[in-house]
Amino acid sequence: MISPGATVGVLGGGQLGRMLGLSARRMGYRVHTLAPESDSPLGQIADRTVVADYDDLDAVADFARGVDVTTFEFENVPFAAAETAADYGQGPVRPKGGVLHIAQHRRREKDFLSQTGFPTADFEHVADRDALTHALEHIGRPAVLKTAGFGYDGKGQSVIRPDDDADDAWHAIGAGEAVLEAMVDFDREVSVVGARGVDGAFTHFGVTENRHRDHILDVCLPDAPLDSNIADEAVAIARGVLESLDVVGVLCVEFFLTKSGELLVNELAPRPHNSGHFSFDACVTSQFEQQLRTVCGLPMGDTRRLAPSAMVNLLGDCWANGDPNWGAALADPSIKLHLYGKAEPRPGRKMGHITAFADTSEAAAEKALAVRASLAGATLD
Ligand code: AMP
């Protein structure tokens, strides 16, 4: 067990690392981060920041020698960095680098899912432009072309509709290795954040309904009202994925729920997920504390809800007319405001989120959306 007082090393300095870091500091751990940018969301609250690129393997090795366990806060950390940390670090890398290797590459991820028997949309690997023509013949249209590596929030994706020129999509995603997926006519998108301990114990944060805008998560409703068989199946699939990958840590499985009630796995995120942010305020133990507990080999905490809640993201767009009116947001005492310490509010950039509480998740979502609307276009109180 890596006990309180030890040092947790995080590759990556974004908001997920910041919320892990806050949980770690609360339990008496020290936190180090390695990230390419100075003044990162995690760097602002960490004991130590190493500013280095992830492919500076000497810096990664040095970093890992100075911490008791290494984890990562997003999946686009190169696999070589995780391997280097495992080889030269004084403690383990959790989850192990192999999980990162699969989850950071869509073809490997899709191959893993289909070969292990988890349901996905039809897909084909696209190695070059000719392969795209063949894949379109098999998959049909509409279809979604996605870069194989380093995509998130809909980046590196292009939809190919019946009358579209496939060339445009091919160039739009950068004319490189890709995956072509059938377009799913889904009823809803849902996800399960699961956590697995060194002893194989499993906990989860229920099934969350995720509503997107412009391919970016917008609103999350925990404990989506679903047929209990579907909810149980989603949790069973998530558990199966964590077990098959031998994850020690937190991993989120994102699903499409089709109109006929079928669950298809869309993506895996081997870390806390935006759809689990509600847990920071609304659960006995948050996904971030659970990540800390699992990677440190502590017993897991209770994931029980304290109250019905919902979360909405605050993107840089909220700053379009100047500084948001925080006073209006905080006038409701049941609103919890999270800002990630990012200086530059670019459109589409995740700057923070709001958790709202009400009698139901749906009512909480309405409240959070109204609060967000009241932020824009106002001057700071
Ligand atoms: P991803 O980055 O793959 O999670 O995609 C971002 C969002 O794009 C998803 O959450 C969906 O809203 C949409 N999307 C991605 N793939 C598909 C698909 N095969 N069919 C329909 N919508 C999709």
Side-chain angles (χ1 to χ4, degrees):
M1 183 165 104
I2 297 158
S3 295
T7 302
V8 177
V10 185
L11 299 175
Q15 64 266 20
L16 301 176
R18 179 185 177 96
M19 290 183 269
L20 166 64
L22 292 170
S23 302
R25 297 288 289 255
R26 190 171 65 176
M27 284 178 66
Y29 286 89
R30 300 179 70 78
V31 181
H32 292 184
T33 173
L34 181 145
E37 64 291 344
S38 55
D39 194 40
S40 65
L42 171 54
Q44 290 166 8
I45 63 114
D47 296 278
R48 177 168 183 242
T49 302
V50 174
V51 178
D53 283 332
Y54 304 115
D55 43 24
D56 179 348
L57 298 181
D58 289 337
V60 171
D62 260 358
F63 175 79
R65 280 188 207 106
V67 300
D68 297 296
V69 56
T70 301
T71 190
F72 40 85
E73 62 99 41
F74 77 139
E75 62 271 29
N76 290 345
V77 170
F79 174 53
E83 282 212 307
T84 299
D87 289 347
Y88 296 98
Q90 59 167 319
V93 174
R94 290 176 177 155
K96 62 187 176 192
V99 178
L100 197 65
H101 191 244
I102 289 179
Q104 70 187 192
H105 191 273
R106 285 192 200 274
R107 179 178 54 77
R108 287 197 288 268
E109 183 176 278
K110 289 270 196 280
D111 285 347
F112 157 75
L113 290 166
S114 62
Q115 284 160 14
T116 322
F118 296 112
T120 65
D122 287 342
F123 69 93
E124 279 216 13
H125 178 216
V126 172
D128 53 30
R129 177 65 186 83
D130 282 346
L132 174 57
T133 304
H134 295 299
L136 275 169
E137 281 161 17
H138 298 146
I139 301 284
R141 298 173 184 234
V144 190
L145 185 64
K146 302 182 177 181
T147 51
F150 297 95
Y152 65 98
D153 286 346
K155 293 189 174 67
Q157 295 194 14
S158 188
V159 174
I160 307 178
R161 298 190 189 282
D163 295 328
D164 289 345
D165 185 342
D167 270 338
D168 292 344
W170 176 245
H171 290 296
I173 64 140
E177 188 186 359
V179 167
L180 186 74
E181 272 177 40
M183 179 91 150
V184 179
D185 183 20
F186 55 79
D187 175 45
R188 279 186 266 180
E189 290 185 81
V190 299
S191 58
V192 175
V193 174
R196 186 163 174 271
V198 273
D199 58 353
F202 174 79
T203 58
H204 64 87
F205 291 84
V207 184
T208 300
E209 179 177 340
N210 304 324
R211 298 179 186 161
H212 292 76
R213 206 157 64 165
D214 299 331
H215 294 279
I216 301 176
L217 188 60
D218 188 37
V219 185
C220 289
L221 293 92
D223 305 312
L226 288 175
D227 180 299
S228 66
N229 292 334
I230 294 176
D232 290 349
E233 193 194 337
V235 171
I237 291 173
R239 182 177 193 145
V241 168
L242 274 96
E243 286 174 354
S244 306
L245 291 173
D246 193 21
V247 170
V248 174
V250 166
L251 180 143
C252 176
V253 182
E254 296 177 39
F255 299 92
F256 299 123
L257 177 59
T258 68
K259 292 188 168 134
S260 56
E262 195 188 355
L263 284 164
L264 301 174
V265 177
N266 171 30
E267 257 197 332
L268 308 179
R271 44 150 176 94
H273 189 258
N274 200 167
S275 65
H277 285 7
F278 75 94
S279 64
F280 212 19
D281 299 308
C283 293
V284 173
T285 307
S286 74
Q287 62 170 350
F288 304 102
E289 184 176 330
Q290 209 72 309
Q291 178 187 24
L292 173 79
R293 285 171 174 253
T294 50
V295 304
C296 289
L298 308 182
M300 277 190 278
D302 188 348
T303 60
R304 200 162 12 128
R305 316 293 172 267
L306 299 169
S309 68
M311 186 236 48
V312 302
N313 274 330
L314 301 178
L315 302 183
D317 310 61
C318 295
W319 278 251
N321 299 318
D323 281 329
N325 183 355
W326 301 123
L330 297 169
D332 181 329
S334 70
I335 292 292
K336 304 294 277 186
L337 174 66
H338 297 253
L339 293 170
Y340 307 143
K342 299 181 184 178
E344 225 188 298
R346 292 191 294 273
R349 187 176 198 204
K350 289 176 179 168
M351 301 294 290
H353 68 266
I354 286 171
T355 312
F357 294 96
D359 291 339
T360 63
S361 285
E362 198 66 60
E366 272 173 36
K367 190 193 273 191
L369 286 168
V371 166
R372 186 174 65 187
S374 75
L375 289 176
T379 49
L380 195 63
D381 268 353

